[in-house]
């Protein structure tokens, strides 16, 4: 959030900048009034309007970035690792804020993250990506209860159990991660997949619906025709 905010602009100017660039008429009469409204929506009062990003905490800067995005009244909000650099307590605040924005503004959200617990809490539908390809897509509850793709299973096996005395059944993937500049043929996961066969190296798997709304790109997953 630090690098995305102009350090020489006040919070009011940062929030109003997209509206000014797109020559939007502020719904509340002035850019400053609109900035104050959006700032209050994300849990900050008008006293922050004349502050600069360097005067804010990491969580406050993230809230300002969200307020700036919401000022355009978007139909789709893309949140790319919005909590990655924040401590745990601030992460929870930002996630709850995003959930509130989603419900109150009625906009769809593309939430990109590595924290699987946060994804489960916030998202209605989840896509698992490996090496630039979606390998599994399903409603959140279905995916977490019934992961099908070998990569998805390996990801979930790395989640620490709530009970520290409980033994983890970790699936350790072998082999090196391929270069993005030279991805492997066929299924991109076959170089590290414990289920891989010659077919996986030759043919890229198609998406198959294994359960209603649950799609998997794998030659050997249950319900995929070859497993």
């Amino acid at each position: 959030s630090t690098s995305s905010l102009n350090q020489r602009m006040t919070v009011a100017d940062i929030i109003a900048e997209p509206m000014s660039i797109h020559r939007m008429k502020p719904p509340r009469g002035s850019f400053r009034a609109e900035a104050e409204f959006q700032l209050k929506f994300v849990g900050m009062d008008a006293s922050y309007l004349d502050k600069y990003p360097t005067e804010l905490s990491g969580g406050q800067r993230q809230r300002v970035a969200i307020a700036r995005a919401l000022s355009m009244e978007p139909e789709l909000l893309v949140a790319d690792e919005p909590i990655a650099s924040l401590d745990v307590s601030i992460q929870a605040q930002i996630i709850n804020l995003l959930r509130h924005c989603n419900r109150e503004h009625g906009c769809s959200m593309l939430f990109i993250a590595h924290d699987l617990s946060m994804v489960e809490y916030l998202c209605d539908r989840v896509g698992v990506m490996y090496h630039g390809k979606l390998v599994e897509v399903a409603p959140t509850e279905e995916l977490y209860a019934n992961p099908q793709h070998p990569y998805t299973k390996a990801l979930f096996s790395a989640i620490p159990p709530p009970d520290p005395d409980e033994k983890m059944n970790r699936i350790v993937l072998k082999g090196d991660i391929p270069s993005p500049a030279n991805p492997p043929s066929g299924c991109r996961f076959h170089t590290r997949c414990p289920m891989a066969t010659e077919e996986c190296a030759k043919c890229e798997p198609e998406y198959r619906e294994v359960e209603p709304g649950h799609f998997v790109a794998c030659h050997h997953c249950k319900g995929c025709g070859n497993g």
Side-chain angles (χ1 to χ4, degrees):
S1 58
T2 302
S3 61
S4 70
L5 304 180
N6 190 325
Q7 306 300 305
R8 298 183 178 182
M9 295 174 66
T10 65
V11 167
D13 291 336
I14 288 171
I15 296 174
E17 185 181 29
M19 293 182 287
S20 176
I21 291 174
H22 291 277
R23 299 181 180 179
M24 290 179 59
K25 183 178 180 180
R28 288 157 189 86
S30 69
F31 287 137
R32 187 175 179 86
E34 187 65 26
E36 181 178 349
F37 173 83
Q38 297 297 346
L39 203 58
K40 287 182 178 179
F41 185 81
V42 298
M44 298 172 67
D45 59 48
S47 66
Y48 290 94
L49 285 171
D50 295 315
K51 292 184 181 293
Y52 291 86
T54 52
E55 300 176 89
L56 307 178
S57 67
Q60 289 169 342
R61 288 194 293 267
Q62 198 70 292
R63 288 172 184 268
V64 170
I66 294 171
R68 177 179 58 185
L70 294 177
S71 70
M72 298 298 293
E73 299 184 353
E75 294 182 2
L76 174 66
L77 183 65
V78 179
D80 188 357
E81 295 285 1
I83 59 173
S85 59
L86 305 175
D87 64 50
V88 175
S89 61
I90 302 301
Q91 283 183 3
Q93 294 176 21
I94 297 301
I95 287 296
N96 285 328
L97 173 60
L98 289 172
R99 196 174 191 182
H100 175 68
C101 293
N102 177 248
R103 291 175 175 177
E104 294 298 318
H105 269 257
C107 65
S108 299
M109 185 184 306
L110 176 60
F111 180 69
I112 304 168
H114 289 88
D115 190 324
L116 297 176
S117 60
M118 290 297 186
V119 170
E120 183 179 18
Y121 175 73
L122 187 63
C123 300
D124 298 316
R125 189 169 177 80
V126 179
V128 179
M129 180 174 284
Y130 180 80
H131 225 352
K133 288 278 189 178
L134 280 172
V135 296
E136 187 163 5
V137 181
T140 304
E141 186 175 347
E142 162 67 15
L143 183 72
Y144 279 71
N146 185 32
Q148 291 289 312
H149 196 278
Y151 179 62
T152 308
K153 292 178 179 179
L155 282 180
F156 285 2
S157 75
I159 302 175
D163 184 353
D165 295 326
E166 184 179 341
K167 184 179 179 181
M168 290 182 64
N169 295 316
R170 180 75 187 271
I171 300 173
V172 180
L173 298 177
K174 299 180 180 180
D176 297 326
I177 300 176
S179 167
N182 186 29
S185 60
C187 174
R188 295 192 178 187
F189 186 57
H190 85 264
T191 58
R192 305 177 70 202
C193 181
M195 299 172 60
T197 61
E198 187 176 341
E199 179 185 18
C200 301
K202 293 181 177 179
C203 304
E204 184 173 349
E206 297 180 355
Y207 292 103
R208 304 292 179 90
E209 190 171 16
V210 296
E211 297 288 346
H214 188 163
F215 295 87
V216 187
C218 177
H219 291 299
H220 302 291
C221 288
K222 182 184 71 174
C224 288
N226 296 318

